[in-house]
């Protein structure tokens, strides 16, 4: 069965409920904007590119049944829906990219009757979904050229089908290399506290027949020291104009370790993850999440002293100086990043 992480279906949004994986593959039908907001907050749907689609589909869901009395009222309600869904999670640039594309379509069509504006918004959601599918395949193609036969790749979090519409970014590079017949091995970091690597990456890589081995996050250094890793590839939630890249907490650790062990460290992300309005990673908003995610293993079993203080940032920022290259849908970007990002992604 082909997996589609998020799509418009039955007059609503259908997502795979990722909190149920790997035990059960459950689809969730989302009928309201509030329900989508909660699904994003709880990581039922997650991963930067999937959030881009969620933002756009959410905006459409929020306005499709409105019967505004006039254009002014429609604009106010539309903006309310945009701001509401944008308040669900702060870090992934793609979420805001999806919302901004919808906003542009609304403004370009604002002189039309509400029914026509809604049609244009729906068409934009379709375009965003197909753009994601195409950009992931393009990342896969460009990235796979960096992968050699018998490479062993270390990755973190989930950057595959479940983080996009149906393919993946960093995992897309792995999928494409596998499809091309290269013999590759993958080590997946479990990715504490919410275990996206253990629960999601191992599940989808195994489904695709990839040779994957799970490790605890604190085992990466040992693997590198033993010479078992030839490349590290991670995704990104937001990349600043100078190439600093925010991704799942623990990515920066891997970049520092890679530099020490002389291992190429790659970030893979579509153009929609770049935020050229910010000069460097210090400006990236980092989501802080509930301490219970750390103290109660996947919300179920206590693993820490009751009431202990917790530090739980969901993302960290890897300095561009530690990144060997950024694999994008527009090609592979190498240092100097400031100049080359503008040239390739430039908006
Ligand atoms: O908190 P999550 O699970 O949404 O974090 C996701 C990541 O950090 C991914 O690596 C990133 O979004 C890139 S996904 C292609």
């Amino acid at each position: 069965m082909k997996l589609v992480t998020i799509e418009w279906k039955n007059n609503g949004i259908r997502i795979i409920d990722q909190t149920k994986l790997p035990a059960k593959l459950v689809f969730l039908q989302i009928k309201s904007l509030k329900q989508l907001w909660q699904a994003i907050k709880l990581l039922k749907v997650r991963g930067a590119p999937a959030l881009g689609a969620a933002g756009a589909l959410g905006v459409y869901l929020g306005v499709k049944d409105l019967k505004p009395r006039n254009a002014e009222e429609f604009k106010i309600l539309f903006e309310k829906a945009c701001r509401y869904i944008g308040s669900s999670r702060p870090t992934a640039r793609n979420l805001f990219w999806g919302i901004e594309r919808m906003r542009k379509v609304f403004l370009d069509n604002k002189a039309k009757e509400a029914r026509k504006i809604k049609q244009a918004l729906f068409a934009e959601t379709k375009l965003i979904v197909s753009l994601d599918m195409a950009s992931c395949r393009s990342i896969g193609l460009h990235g796979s050229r960096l992968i050699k036969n018998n490479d062993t790749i270390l990755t973190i979090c989930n950057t595959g089908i479940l983080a996009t519409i149906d393919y993946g970014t960093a995992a897309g590079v792995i999928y494409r290399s596998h499809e091309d017949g290269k013999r590759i091995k993958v080590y997946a970091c479990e990715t504490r506290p919410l275990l996206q690597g253990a629960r999601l990456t191992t599940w989808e890589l195994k489904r695709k027949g990839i040779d994957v081995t799970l490790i605890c996050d604190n085992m990466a250094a040992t693997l590198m020291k033993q010479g078992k890793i030839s490349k590290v590839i991670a995704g990104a939630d937001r990349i600043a104009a100078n190439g600093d890249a925010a991704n799942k907490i623990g990515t920066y650790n891997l970049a520092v370790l890679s530099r020490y062990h002389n291992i190429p460290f790659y970030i893979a992300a579509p153009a929609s993850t770049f935020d050229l309005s910010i000069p460097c990673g210090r400006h990236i908003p980092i989501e802080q999440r509930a301490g219970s995610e750390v103290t109660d293993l996947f919300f179920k079993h206590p693993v820490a002293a009751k009431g202990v203080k917790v530090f739980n940032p969901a993302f960290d920022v890897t300095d561009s100086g530690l990144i060997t290259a950024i694999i994008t849908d527009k090609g592979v970007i190498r240092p100097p990043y400031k100049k080359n990002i503008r040239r390739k992604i430039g908006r």
Side-chain angles (χ1 to χ4, degrees), residues 155-156 159 169-170 233-237 239 245-248 251 266-269 273:
T155 192
I156 181 166
T159 60
T169 57
I233 316 181
D237 277 74
I239 303 174
N247 190 49
K248 180 52 57 197
T251 305
Y266 298 106
I267 288 288
T273 302

Side-chain angles (χ1 to χ4, degrees), residues 45-311:
V45 59
R46 46 146 300 281
L51 292 181
L57 288 164
V59 169
Y60 177 67
L61 181 69
V63 301
K64 78 177 174 62
D65 294 327
L66 291 178
K67 294 190 175 50
R69 279 168 296 182
N70 51 48
E72 193 48 34
E73 188 182 54
F74 195 15
K75 185 161 182 287
I76 290 168
L77 295 171
F78 173 83
E79 269 306 319
K80 202 171 154 197
C82 290
R83 278 199 303 275
Y84 178 64
I85 208 63
S87 70
S88 54
R89 292 188 79 190
T91 305
R93 168 69 195 143
N94 310 61
L95 175 65
F96 304 95
W97 170 86
I99 294 168
E100 278 160 25
R101 284 189 66 120
M102 296 296 274
R103 195 175 265 132
K104 179 167 185 323
V105 168
F106 188 92
L107 293 177
D108 288 351
N109 290 277
K110 68 177 193 290
K112 298 182 181 156
E113 58 180 296
R115 186 178 56 90
K116 292 268 182 213
I117 299 177
K118 289 179 191 175
Q119 275 171 7
L121 290 171
F122 186 60
E124 184 66 11
T125 66
K126 293 262 172 222
L127 185 60
I128 285 171
V129 164
S130 54
L131 271 175
D132 178 78
M133 292 160 88
S135 69
C136 284
R137 276 153 186 87
S138 179
I139 290 169
L141 173 66
H142 291 299
S144 65
R145 295 186 179 134
L146 303 168
I147 306 300
K148 295 202 192 83
N149 212 18
N150 296 319
D151 265 351
T152 301
I153 299 165
L154 177 66
T155 192
I156 181 166
C157 198
N158 172 265
T159 60
I161 296 164
L162 295 164
T164 59
I165 301 292
D166 70 344
Y167 199 70
T169 57
V173 175
I174 292 167
Y175 288 146
R176 178 61 198 250
S177 305
H178 179 72
E179 285 157 21
D180 287 349
K182 287 179 190 154
R183 246 178 308 127
I184 49 169
K185 284 192 175 141
V186 176
Y187 280 94
C189 292
E190 62 174 350
T191 319
R192 277 279 282 148
L194 293 182
L195 305 174
Q196 289 92 329
R199 294 185 302 106
L200 309 176
T201 298
T202 63
W203 180 80
E204 63 162 88
L205 262 58
K206 277 192 90 219
R207 256 182 119 250
K208 289 263 193 180
I210 312 264
D211 179 345
V212 56
T213 303
L214 176 65
I215 60 164
C216 297
D217 299 324
N218 50 8
M219 296 166 187
T222 292
L223 272 181
M224 290 183 182
K225 195 173 195 175
Q226 291 174 351
K228 293 208 171 117
I229 303 297
S230 43
K231 274 159 195 128
V232 177
I233 316 181
D237 277 74
R238 195 184 289 239
I239 303 174
N242 72 341
D244 290 352
N247 190 49
K248 180 52 57 197
I249 188 81
T251 305
Y252 174 52
N253 303 29
L254 296 182
V256 172
L257 288 172
S258 300
R259 176 57 55 90
Y260 183 78
H261 292 96
N262 209 13
I263 295 167
F265 177 91
Y266 298 106
I267 288 288
S272 50
T273 302
F274 286 77
D275 184 353
L276 302 191
S277 74
I278 52 169
C280 65
R282 260 187 304 116
H283 300 268
I284 300 177
I286 299 293
E287 178 182 13
Q288 299 289 329
R289 294 188 58 90
S292 56
E293 291 179 351
V294 179
T295 56
D296 294 29
L297 192 59
F298 209 58
F299 306 113
K300 284 188 188 120
H301 310 287
V303 289
K306 204 165 188 281
V308 69
K309 284 191 282 180
V310 174
F311 175 58

Side-chain angles (χ1 to χ4, degrees), residues 35-47:
Q35 197 190 354
L36 180 66
W37 191 96
Q38 281 162 347
I40 292 174
K41 191 81 189 165
L42 295 176
L43 274 55
K44 288 174 192 250
V45 59
R46 46 146 300 281

